[in-house]
Amino acid sequence: MDEEKEMRIAAINNLIKFISERGRRFFYKERNRVTGEPQTAYMKCKNNRIYFVDAYTSKEVYAYNGFSHEGFSHGDTLWALVCDFSIFIRTGKSSNGVNGYGGLYSGDWGHSDEIQKEIIDYAKDIGYLK
């Protein structure tokens, strides 16, 4: 895997962690049953394909729209966001909202305006949002 793709995976994983620590705490599970540690979802590359590792099921889910997302436990809107993340990781191009929802700019996430702004600003800082 090339260095730029690795940097984009790290950036998206930092964004996922940032989102998991605020507001509705998407992508976060309180405790792992085995270790007792808090668990956050993340993206990874395996065999040159992008996967999402679910915080609840611990399953690797092939992160491409149009494919089964069995093992994904976070709902369709978050699945669309994960697919947008996957496009960004693979291409480096802005992909926010291309999978059929309003993206991180949407007002439908249920966060306070302040938290939503924090998430958007962070996503801009790492280069995910324009």
Side-chain angles (χ1 to χ4, degrees):
M1 178 171 51
D2 67 56
E3 189 175 320
E4 288 183 18
K5 193 181 285 185
E6 285 180 18
M7 290 185 342
R8 290 191 299 268
I9 286 173
I12 290 299
N13 284 338
N14 287 335
L15 177 56
I16 288 170
K17 184 169 179 5
F18 192 86
I19 291 169
S20 77
E21 294 170 342
R22 283 156 183 77
R24 297 187 56 202
R25 300 183 63 134
F26 295 118
F27 302 121
Y28 175 80
K29 180 180 178 185
E30 190 64 37
R31 298 276 176 232
N32 179 296
R33 284 183 238 156
V34 177
T35 66
E37 295 295 316
Q39 194 167 335
T40 304
Y42 60 95
M43 305 292 286
K44 70 183 265 184
C45 185
K46 178 177 158 184
N47 300 324
N48 209 29
R49 294 176 184 234
I50 304 301
Y51 289 85
F52 174 83
V53 181
D54 191 280
Y56 289 90
T57 66
S58 298
K59 292 187 178 183
E60 296 175 355
V61 183
Y62 189 48
Y64 290 82
N65 199 4
F67 286 84
S68 168
H69 50 280
E70 183 178 333
F72 185 82
S73 64
H74 300 277
D76 289 340
T77 302
L78 283 173
W79 176 247
L81 181 60
V82 165
C83 290
D84 287 349
F85 289 165
S86 177
I87 292 169
F88 175 76
I89 290 168
R90 287 183 280 122
T91 68
K93 295 178 181 173
S94 179
S95 56
N96 186 57
V98 300
N99 281 290
Y101 73 110
L104 288 179
Y105 287 114
S106 172
D108 297 330
W109 290 105
H111 299 299
S112 69
D113 291 344
E114 179 182 327
I115 289 170
Q116 190 65 21
K117 183 178 179 340
E118 286 177 10
I119 292 170
I120 289 169
D121 289 346
Y122 185 85
K124 286 178 180 177
D125 289 345
I126 66 164
Y128 175 69
L129 291 179
K130 292 181 178 182

